[in-house]
Amino acid sequence: MSQSVRRVAVVTGAARGIGAAIARKLAADGLAVAVVDLDEKAGAETVDAIVSAGGSAIAIGADVADKDQVRAAVERTVAELGAPTVLVNNAGVLRDNLLFKMSEDDWDTVMAVHLRGAFLFSKAVQEHMVAAKFGRIVSLSSTSALGNRGQANYAAAKAGLQGFTKTLAIELGKFGITANAVAPGFIVTDMTRATAARVGVDFDDFEKAAVSQIPVARAGRPEDVANTVSFLVGEGAGFVSGQVVYVAGGPRD
Ligand SMILES: NC(=O)c1ccc[n+]([C@@H]2O[C@H](COP(=O)([O-])OP(=O)(O)OC[C@H]3O[C@@H](n4cnc5c(N)ncnc54)[C@H](O)[C@@H]3O)[C@@H](O)[C@H]2O)c1
């Protein structure tokens, strides 16, 4: 396939936050982007921003944990943009609580969105990547994968995504497909704002406390993650696979 062929990317959870920044960045890189989020209207702002900057994107409403909706989202992408060869599994939710207070629903919801969602989308998109002999799968992990109070469900899901990623890298490498995980630290989005609200701390104080632990001495921005994803899905990153890249302003184990 020549370099001039426009690649098609699917970015899940791209209505806002990190996913929206990834969608904007990949569109600026020249990819056509399917902006997938829970409902189609939610993704419209991201799509408008991309189109007014001269890019190409469509909004697709889908719950990443629902097999039929995932299949329909991929079919629409193929029909309206072309076969996707880039997938960013970004959709995510928090249901934080200490273990003794965590409900089964808190556990199941987090597993469904992060793990089942990444599984369903990767499975649905890989056939197009195999046919194209090119593919890039990036899944959003987190520094929480290393353990974080109040996040037994989220930490397990984000660590699970790292094992999932390494296995896809092994299975799919011979088809020209790479799989990597990006693990952000503290990034200012609605998700971190919701966490501050849940623990009853003013967001500025919450951010200050986080920054005091970050070697580069600032909070992360969605664009920090988007720039890293842009590299990993690029033509030049074909020998980087099965890696977990921490985007956290400092080292992680
Ligand atoms: N913000 C951080 O500090 C941080 C740190 C590490 C990892 N992450 C991860 O990065 C990703 C993006 O986080 P964010 O901070 O932008 O979150 P966010 O809450 O701002 O955005 C998440 C998006 O995912 C969508 N979504 C949720 N459930 C969905 C579902 N079932 N189907 C489709 N879409 C769904 C939401 O509607 C929303 O648009 C998540 O996977 C998150 O776990 C975030």
Side-chain angles (χ1 to χ4, degrees):
M1 194 177 271
S2 88
Q3 294 276 337
S4 61
V5 171
R6 187 185 63 170
R7 298 214 181 271
V8 175
V10 174
V11 183
T12 70
R16 66 177 196 222
I18 294 170
I22 293 170
R24 288 195 303 268
K25 174 64 180 156
L26 298 192
D29 290 346
L31 287 84
V33 183
V35 170
V36 176
D37 213 290
L38 278 173
D39 75 275
E40 204 166 313
K41 272 194 219 129
E45 253 181 60
T46 307
V47 169
D48 287 350
I50 289 172
V51 171
S52 35
S56 175
I58 56 169
I60 299 179
D63 177 348
V64 298
D66 182 303
K67 187 172 100 178
D68 294 337
Q69 293 183 34
V70 170
R71 190 182 298 132
V74 174
E75 280 170 9
R76 239 191 97 190
T77 304
V78 174
E80 295 184 30
L81 297 176
T85 56
V86 172
L87 170 67
V88 183
N89 291 308
N90 167 83
V93 287
L94 295 178
R95 292 288 185 276
D96 293 356
N97 233 325
L98 293 174
L99 180 64
F100 79 104
K101 287 197 263 185
M102 186 173 286
S103 69
E104 287 175 43
D105 190 54
D106 292 337
W107 179 267
D108 292 342
T109 300
V110 167
M111 294 302 152
V113 176
H114 298 269
L115 284 178
R116 186 176 157 82
F119 161 66
L120 291 175
F121 255 107
S122 302
K123 195 173 169 194
V125 167
Q126 58 78 33
E127 65 177 284
H128 300 289
M129 298 179 171
V130 170
K133 298 190 174 58
F134 174 92
R136 299 282 186 263
I137 300 172
V138 175
S139 299
L140 270 289
S141 181
S142 167
T143 50
S144 295
L146 302 166
N148 199 23
R149 175 179 290 276
Q151 294 195 317
N153 49 2
Y154 186 80
K158 292 307 199 186
L161 280 171
Q162 297 188 7
F164 177 71
T165 293
K166 290 174 192 194
T167 302
L168 296 194
I170 292 165
E171 289 187 12
L172 300 174
K174 65 180 173 209
F175 303 108
I177 301 169
T178 66
N180 291 287
V182 167
F186 184 87
I187 311 289
V188 177
T189 68
D190 289 351
M191 190 177 267
T192 33
R193 287 183 193 285
T195 303
R198 185 183 62 79
V199 296
V201 177
D202 172 73
F203 186 72
D204 287 344
D205 295 338
F206 190 67
E207 183 176 343
K208 254 182 228 147
V211 168
S212 73
Q213 305 298 313
I214 299 174
V216 302
R218 68 166 174 86
R221 297 181 287 260
E223 290 70 23
D224 291 312
V225 183
N227 290 336
T228 308
V229 173
S230 166
F231 165 71
L232 290 170
V233 307
E235 310 283 334
F239 209 53
V240 181
S241 196
Q243 301 305 301
V244 180
V245 182
Y246 283 91
V247 183
R252 286 294 190 280
D253 291 333

